[in-house]
C-alpha cells in the first residue's frame, strides 16, 4: 500500500486544505510568506491586522504574532517551525498562545512552480475531527484561510512591481514607551523629523486609524528648499507601543496632486530595555520628477533617525 496515500486518507476527516495559484514566481511568493515585513501586510482574514513579535523561519524557530480583529479583539498565536525547505515547503506546529488554548494543529505549506506561477497549498492537521470542526465553526478557519490567500494575491503585485523601498533597523538606548512617544507626540516629532538640515515648523498628528498627518518641512535658508514643503498622510494602524502604519504624500503640483506617495510601516520592539525600531517605506506612486527624492530616500530616513537618536538622548 502507498504509505503517503494511507496517511492522507487517515487524516482527511481532521484536515483543512486550501489551495490557490498566484500569478507570481515561486521565489517572490516565498519572500512574501517568510519576511515579516511583508507578512504583516496580508496575513489574516479581511478586516484583520497583525503584529508580529517574532518570526524566526528555521527549524526550531518561534513565530509569535497577535491578530487584531475588526472589533478590537486580540488573538495571540504561537507556532514553532519544524521544517523549512526553501522555496518548496514549510512545516510548523501551532501550539496555541496561552494555557487552555485548544487550537492546536500541524501545518504544512507547499510552494509549487506552475509555469512561472506558484501553487500554494495550506494543510492543517488537527488532533481530532471535532477539533477541526470547531476551528471551522467557531473561529472561521476555512473561510479565514481563503480570505488570507486572497489578501496575499492583492499584495504580491506591490512587491513584484520593482517599486522602490527602504528598510532600516536601529537600536535606541531608551525604553520602547519613550521611543513611541517621540513618534506620536507632534511636539517631539517636529524636533527630529527630516534630514539633517531640514526643520519641521508644523507637525499635526491625529493618532488613530484614519487620522490625518500634516508635516511642513523646510530646507536650509538660501537653498532651493528654503520653502514650505508639506507632507500629508493618514494613519492606517496605530498599535501602541508596537506598530505604526501610515501613508505619506509629498511634492504636490499646482493642482495639489502628490508626485510621490509611500506606505510606511514602523515597528517598535523591546530589546533588553532598549528599543529596536524598524522603518519599512515602500513607494506606491511616483513621477519622473521625483526620481532624485526617491534615490535619496534611504539617506533621508537614516538622517531622520539619527536626529531622533539625538533627541531621545537629550530628553531621556
Amino acid at each position: 500500500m502507498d504509505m503517503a496515500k494511507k496517511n492522507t486518507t487517515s487524516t482527511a476527516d481532521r484536515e483543512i486544505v486550501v489551495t490557490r495559484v498566484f500569478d507570481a514566481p515561486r521565489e517572490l511568493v516565498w519572500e512574501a510568506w517568510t519576511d515579516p515585513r511583508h507578512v504583516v501586510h496580508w496575513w489574516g482574514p479581511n478586516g484583520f491586522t497583525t503584529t508580529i513579535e517574532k518570526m524566526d523561519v528555521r527549524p526550531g524557530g518561534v513565530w509569535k504574532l497577535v491578530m487584531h480583529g475588526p472589533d478590537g479583539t486580540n488573538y495571540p498565536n504561537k507556532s514553532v517551525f519544524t521544517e523549512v525547505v526553501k522555496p518548496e515547503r514549510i512545516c510548523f506546529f501551532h501550539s496555541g498562545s496561552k494555557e487552555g488554548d485548544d487550537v492546536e494543529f500541524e501545518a504544512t505549506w507547499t510552494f509549487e512552480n506552475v509555469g512561472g506561477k506558484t501553487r500554494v497549498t495550506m494543510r492543517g492537521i488537527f488532533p481530532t475531527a471535532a477539533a477541526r470542526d470547531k476551528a471551522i465553526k467557531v473561529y472561521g478557519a476555512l473561510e479565514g484561510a481563503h480570505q488570507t490567500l486572497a489578501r496575499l494575491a492583492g499584495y504580491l503585485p506591490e512587491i513584484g512591481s520593482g517599486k522602490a523601498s527602504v528598510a532600516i533597523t536601529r537600536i535606541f538606548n531608551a525604553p520602547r514607551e519613550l521611543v513611541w512617544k517621540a513618534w506620536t507626540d507632534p511636539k517631539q516629532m517636529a524636533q527630529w523629523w527630516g534630514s539633517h538640515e531640514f526643520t519641521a515648523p508644523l507637525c499635526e498628528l491625529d493618532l488613530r486609524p484614519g487620522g490625518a498627518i500634516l508635516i511642513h518641512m523646510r530646507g536650509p535658508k538660501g537653498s532651493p528648499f528654503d520653502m514650505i514643503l508639506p507632507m500629508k498622510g493618514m494613519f492606517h494602524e496605530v498599535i501602541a507601543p508596537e506598530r505604526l502604519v501610515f501613508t505619506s504624500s509629498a511634492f504636490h503640483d499646482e493642482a495639489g496632486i502628490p508626485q510621490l506617495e509611500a506606505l510606511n510601516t514602523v515597528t517598535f520592539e523591546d530589546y533588553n530595555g532598549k528599543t529596536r525600531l524598524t522603518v519599512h517605506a515602500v513607494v506606491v506612486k511616483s513621477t519622473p520628477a521625483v526620481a532624485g527624492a526617491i534615490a535619496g530616500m534611504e539617506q533621508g530616513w537614516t538622517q531622520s533617525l539619527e536626529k531622533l537618536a539625538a533627541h531621545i538622548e537629550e530628553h531621556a
Side-chain angles (χ1 to χ4, degrees):
M1 178 181 291
D2 187 331
M3 292 302 295
K5 183 176 181 180
K6 178 181 178 181
N7 290 339
T8 299
T9 302
S10 65
T11 61
D13 65 338
R14 51 191 177 94
E15 284 186 346
I16 293 177
V17 181
V18 177
T19 298
R20 181 168 182 140
V21 176
F22 296 93
D23 190 12
R26 183 165 62 167
E27 290 72 16
L28 184 67
V29 178
W30 179 274
E31 178 186 347
W33 211 290
T34 57
D35 187 333
R37 295 175 299 178
H38 292 312
V39 175
V40 294
H41 292 290
W42 60 268
W43 184 261
N46 296 340
F48 278 70
T49 58
T50 298
T51 298
I52 295 179
E53 300 176 3
K54 186 175 184 179
M55 190 174 185
D56 186 5
V57 187
R58 62 180 177 82
V62 175
W63 184 20
K64 290 183 68 177
L65 60 89
V66 180
M67 297 171 61
H68 311 283
D71 61 355
T73 302
N74 292 327
Y75 301 90
N77 287 260
K78 180 180 178 181
S79 302
V80 177
F81 293 103
T82 56
E83 184 181 13
V84 178
V85 183
K86 181 180 181 179
E88 299 175 0
R89 182 172 63 259
I90 298 174
C91 302
F92 65 87
F93 178 69
H94 182 280
S95 59
S97 59
K98 57 185 180 298
E99 187 176 349
D101 191 340
D102 59 353
V103 185
E104 296 185 352
F105 57 88
E106 297 176 14
T108 299
W109 302 332
T110 57
F111 304 78
E112 302 172 77
N113 180 19
V114 185
K117 299 182 180 182
T118 305
R119 179 188 293 118
V120 172
T121 300
M122 301 170 65
R123 171 174 281 106
I125 303 178
F126 293 78
T128 65
R132 188 277 307 268
D133 293 344
K134 180 178 180 180
I136 293 175
K137 294 176 182 178
V138 177
Y139 298 105
L142 184 58
E143 180 60 26
H146 282 290
Q147 292 181 10
T148 296
L149 293 186
R151 291 182 65 188
L152 173 59
Y155 177 71
L156 282 170
E158 178 177 320
I159 61 173
S161 63
K163 293 175 180 176
S165 65
V166 169
I168 301 173
T169 297
R170 179 164 183 150
I171 306 297
F172 291 89
N173 189 22
R176 183 167 60 166
E177 288 72 15
L178 193 152
V179 179
W180 173 268
K181 185 69 172 177
W183 271 85
T184 55
D185 179 348
K187 292 182 179 179
Q188 290 196 51
M189 179 176 270
Q191 296 180 50
W192 61 265
W193 184 268
S195 303
H196 283 167
E197 297 182 340
F198 278 71
T199 59
L202 175 67
C203 182
E204 297 178 350
L205 307 175
D206 183 3
L207 195 67
R208 60 182 178 84
I213 303 169
L214 177 61
I215 302 176
H216 284 179
M217 295 180 289
R218 187 160 199 159
K221 188 174 182 179
S223 75
F225 300 104
D226 183 10
M227 64 183 76
I228 296 297
L229 301 169
M231 188 207 83
K232 301 178 181 179
M234 183 178 72
F235 288 109
H236 292 266
E237 293 182 39
V238 179
I239 305 171
E242 300 174 358
R243 176 179 164 86
L244 292 171
V245 179
F246 61 95
T247 50
S248 57
S249 62
F251 302 103
H252 300 78
D253 61 19
E254 294 181 355
I257 299 174
Q259 299 180 70
L260 175 62
E261 295 183 36
L263 175 66
N264 311 284
T265 301
V266 187
T267 56
F268 305 74
E269 302 174 80
D270 181 63
Y271 188 74
N272 298 325
K274 300 180 181 181
T275 303
R276 177 164 53 202
L277 183 140
T278 299
V279 174
H280 184 216
V282 179
V283 174
V284 296
K285 179 181 178 182
S286 64
T287 68
V290 294
I294 293 175
M297 189 165 64
E298 181 169 4
Q299 181 182 14
W301 272 113
T302 298
Q303 293 185 4
S304 201
L305 294 183
E306 289 173 352
K307 289 171 65 177
L308 173 59
H311 169 79
I312 289 174
E313 183 177 350
E314 181 181 347
H315 293 83

